[in-house]
């Protein structure tokens, strides 16, 4: 009568298909155990201790099917011209050559076996939480919660052909007719098996590579937080609650996005295209906010009129200094040289040629916002009410 246990096992399956209806990632079994426990310490619901332990999966978004796995057309063609019309269009166009695609995207159908590594694992994180809530009196509730989350497996795209060329050299495979590598989804930091036609004979070679072969470090993302709150329950006149969160969000993989540069190509960011991008990538992740204070309140001035407000105070997000590769000679796989092998230019965690770990360039300004609201419920019209919300009252603009 005082302890509640919630035990569960959840299975989630995701099957991603391209525009031709062909599956390129099929994850039918992703088991997620869950355990929750709540203890009514004194048996009167005035003091609760609780804990939760669970695994949580995230599906691969469908945008990958459009370009990464679909029949994508993405070409460029260069021209010279002799003049310009009044509407700005050029005249006398002469092509300097056929249209070309940096990623070999000419609208051709893709073999789903080449789009993603074999037997991939799905995105998931494990979470542990432990806390309590206690009523100190009828006018004051307090509580605290500790949370720990850890990313275990991620999915992104990989675009480096060097590991495959090295595999071909080790296995005596002739790459003279190799058509090129167009990137493929994989599990960063783990061993992966790819299917690629290395010798151009139309048959896919099965290429098993370790994380070391790929040059990729083990992924990690850890979020730890301590949440505290104090609340005055609504007593007919007013209600108020204050929360404070101290947290740290660190690692070398944010998740499915790359907010460091505002890249929204979900699960196909540039972060794991080449191993050079992982150098100095360990640090404070984009959503790291050390301190957050939130105040909520409501005051019933009269039976008809009520006033409320929310105040947010949050530490600014971390800043990066991301720059060019410090070297244009050497090779990452032979001597660890961080080169602009992929021609991405300012995409590395180096600043003016010096190592610049993620999140080490200070903080953005604090995020401060006040919202107010007013409610009117006339006595002469029971059940009717009007509410006015005013967001960001002082129009404060903070870089995010």
């Amino acid at each position: 009568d005082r302890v509640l246990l919630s035990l569960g096992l959840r299975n989630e399956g995701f099957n991603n298909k391209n525009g031709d209806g062909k599956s390129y990632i099929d994850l039918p079994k992703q088991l997620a155990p869950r355990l929750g426990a709540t203890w009514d310490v004194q048996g009167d619901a005035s003091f609760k201790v609780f804990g939760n332990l669970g695994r949580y999966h995230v599906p691969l978004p469908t945008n990958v099917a459009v370009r990464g796995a679909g029949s994508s057309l993405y070409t460029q063609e260069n021209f010279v011209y002799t003049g310009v019309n009044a509407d700005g269009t050029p005249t006398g166009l002469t092509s300097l050559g056929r249209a070309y695609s940096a990623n070999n995207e000419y609208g051709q159908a893709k073999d789903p076996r080449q789009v993603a590594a074999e037997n991939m694992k799905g995105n998931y994180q494990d979470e542990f939480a432990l806390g309590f809530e206690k009523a100190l009196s009828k006018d004051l509730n307090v509580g605290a919660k500790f949370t720990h989350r850890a990313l275990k497996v991620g999915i992104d795209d990989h675009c480096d052909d060097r590991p495959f060329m090295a595999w071909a050299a080790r296995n005596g495979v002739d790459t003279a007719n190799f058509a090129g590598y167009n990137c493929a989804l994989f599990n960063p930091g783990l061993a992966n098996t790819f299917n690629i036609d290395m010798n151009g004979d139309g048959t896919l070679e099965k290429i098993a590579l370790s994380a070391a072969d790929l040059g990729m470090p083990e992924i990690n993302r850890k979020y730890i937080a301590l949440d505290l709150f104090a609340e005055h329950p609504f007593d007919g006149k007013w209600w108020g609650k204050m929360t404070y969160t101290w947290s740290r969000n660190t690692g070398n993989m944010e998740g499915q996005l790359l907010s460091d540069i505002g890249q929204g190509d979900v699960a196909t960011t540039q972060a794991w295209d080449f191993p050079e991008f992982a150098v100095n990538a360990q640090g404070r992740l984009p959503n790291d906010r050390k301190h957050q204070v939130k105040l909520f309140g409501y005051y019933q001035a009269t039976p008809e009129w009520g006033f409320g407000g929310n105040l947010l105070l949050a530490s600014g997000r971390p800043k990066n200094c991301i720059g060019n590769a410090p070297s244009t000679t050497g090779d990452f796989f032979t001597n660890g040289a961080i080169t602009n092998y992929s021609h991405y230019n300012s995409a590395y965690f180096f600043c003016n040629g010096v190592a610049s770990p993620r999140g080490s360039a200070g903080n953005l300004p604090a995020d401060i916002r006040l919202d107010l609201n007013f409610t009117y419920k006339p006595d002469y019209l029971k059940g009717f009410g009007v509410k006015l919300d005013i967001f960001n009252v002082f129009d404060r603009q903070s870089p995010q």
Side-chain angles (χ1 to χ4, degrees), residues 1-330:
D1 60 348
R2 292 193 181 188
V3 176
L4 173 67
L5 293 180
S6 299
L7 309 175
L9 181 64
R10 177 183 176 93
N11 181 54
E12 297 175 305
F14 305 120
N15 187 357
N16 289 70
K17 301 178 181 181
N18 62 15
D20 298 321
K22 295 181 178 180
S23 175
Y24 57 93
I25 287 188
D26 188 7
L27 303 170
K29 186 174 71 174
Q30 296 185 113
L31 298 179
R34 309 278 174 87
L35 168 64
T38 303
W39 176 29
D40 182 359
V41 180
Q42 297 173 335
D44 58 0
S46 65
F47 184 19
K48 177 178 73 173
V49 176
F50 61 89
N52 294 284
L53 181 64
R55 175 163 293 178
Y56 301 88
H57 292 92
V58 178
L60 188 72
T62 55
N63 73 300
V64 176
V66 178
R67 186 177 176 194
S71 304
S72 175
L73 176 64
Y74 187 60
T75 62
Q76 298 179 8
E77 186 175 356
N78 294 325
F79 297 84
V80 291
Y81 59 100
T82 59
V84 180
N85 289 318
D87 63 359
T89 58
T91 60
L93 285 175
T94 301
S95 175
L96 296 178
R98 68 180 182 86
Y100 68 95
S101 172
N103 292 314
N104 195 33
E105 295 175 273
Y106 293 103
Q108 73 276 26
K110 293 187 173 77
D111 187 331
R113 294 173 295 173
Q114 299 186 67
V115 170
E118 273 189 10
N119 301 318
M120 289 177 58
K121 296 182 179 180
N123 291 294
Y124 74 86
Q125 72 175 13
D126 290 339
E127 176 179 314
F128 168 72
L130 182 65
F132 76 89
E133 295 179 9
K134 182 171 177 57
L136 298 179
S137 70
K138 67 180 183 64
D139 295 322
L140 181 60
N141 300 328
V142 298
K145 182 176 72 168
F146 170 78
T147 303
H148 179 278
R149 298 179 184 139
L151 180 67
K152 296 298 186 180
V153 174
I155 295 177
D156 212 295
D157 68 330
H158 172 266
C159 301
D160 192 358
D161 64 355
R162 291 171 293 180
F164 305 114
M165 301 302 287
W167 175 90
R170 291 195 303 269
N171 291 275
V173 177
D174 183 6
T175 60
N177 295 316
F178 178 41
Y181 177 46
N182 302 325
C183 304
L185 295 169
F186 80 131
N187 293 133
L190 299 178
N192 287 266
T193 299
F194 301 85
N195 292 283
I196 302 176
D197 182 6
M198 294 298 299
N199 56 15
D201 65 355
T203 301
L204 301 180
E205 278 75 47
K206 192 180 295 291
I207 303 173
L209 299 175
S210 67
D213 292 333
L214 294 166
M216 298 296 181
E218 183 178 351
I219 70 162
N220 71 89
R221 182 188 71 206
K222 291 185 179 179
Y223 172 81
I224 58 172
L226 179 63
D227 293 288
L228 308 174
F229 84 86
E231 179 183 30
H232 179 279
F234 185 63
D235 58 4
K237 198 66 177 176
W238 71 281
W239 167 82
K241 185 174 183 179
M242 177 178 69
T243 70
Y244 167 73
T245 299
W246 175 93
S247 65
R248 295 291 284 174
N249 190 19
T250 59
N252 62 6
M253 186 176 193
E254 179 186 10
Q256 295 183 323
L257 300 176
L258 187 61
S259 299
D260 303 279
I261 61 171
Q263 185 177 14
D265 296 326
V266 187
T268 54
T269 72
Q270 71 179 33
W272 299 93
D273 288 3
F274 297 86
E276 286 89 338
F277 296 153
V279 177
N280 300 319
Q282 180 72 30
R284 297 169 58 209
L285 291 168
N287 205 34
D288 178 58
R289 295 181 184 271
K290 188 173 183 179
H291 303 289
Q292 291 189 70
V293 175
K294 297 177 182 179
L295 303 176
F296 310 91
Y298 177 75
Y299 178 66
Q300 190 72 49
T302 71
E304 294 183 312
W305 287 96
F307 306 92
N310 310 316
L311 176 64
L312 167 69
L313 307 169
S315 301
R317 301 171 78 178
K319 293 196 296 185
N320 300 310
C321 184
I322 301 174
N324 292 343
S327 171
T328 56
T329 61

